[in-house]
Amino acid sequence: MQRERKSIPQNLNQGFSLPEVMIVVMIVGIVTTLSLMSVAKSQSSLYALNAAETLKVYLEKAFSDAKRRRARGSDRAKIQVTGTNTYQVTIDFNGDGVVETQTVSLPGKVTFVYNPAEPPTATIDWRGTVAEGNITFNLKSDQNQTVELELTG
């Protein structure tokens, strides 16, 4: 008994043509570019949110420190913007009753937006009120993502 062999047609295409491969490569390139742009924008937004959260923590520490020490006059807690990417925090950091000042830097891609003639300053007294009234700290990332922290006195 002999088996019958089926012949394979010789006219079938073997593989992909050059235009088909080029189209697939272009589509993959476009999708990759769009996803990388999205990741960069998200990362920039996270930097701004992280910087705002750090500033918020220092503001909360300043409020609690001023109340705890019953701060008055020059002894009050203070947060002051000193540059486009730095601010100073003046509180009792180690709980010994002595007020110290530390300079905090924002992440590299985040800056403060403010009028240089009037940098935002929040001075907090023993009642937990802001001496300057309403203060706004505006942060901006390199991708123009903005975060605003507003204190009302």
Side-chain angles (χ1 to χ4, degrees), residues 84-106:
T84 57
N85 62 351
T86 58
Y87 58 97
Q88 288 184 336
V89 180
T90 304
I91 60 174
D92 178 12
F93 283 98
N94 54 10
D96 63 358
V98 178
V99 177
E100 299 103 17
T101 299
Q102 289 184 5
T103 301
V104 180
S105 297
L106 297 174

Side-chain angles (χ1 to χ4, degrees), residues 124-135:
I124 299 118
D125 66 10
W126 66 275
R127 295 178 302 242
T129 58
V130 180
E132 294 82 9
N134 295 339
I135 302 295

Side-chain angles (χ1 to χ4, degrees), residues 44 47-48 51-52 55 81 83-87 105-114 137-148:
S44 179
Y47 281 136
L55 177 58
V81 174
T84 57
N85 62 351
T86 58
Y87 58 97
S105 297
L106 297 174
K109 298 180 178 187
V110 180
T111 58
F112 282 111
V113 179
Y114 66 98
F137 293 95
N138 291 309
L139 297 146
K140 184 174 96 172
S141 72
D142 62 341
Q143 297 283 327
N144 290 327
Q145 303 287 328
T146 58
V147 180
E148 185 176 286

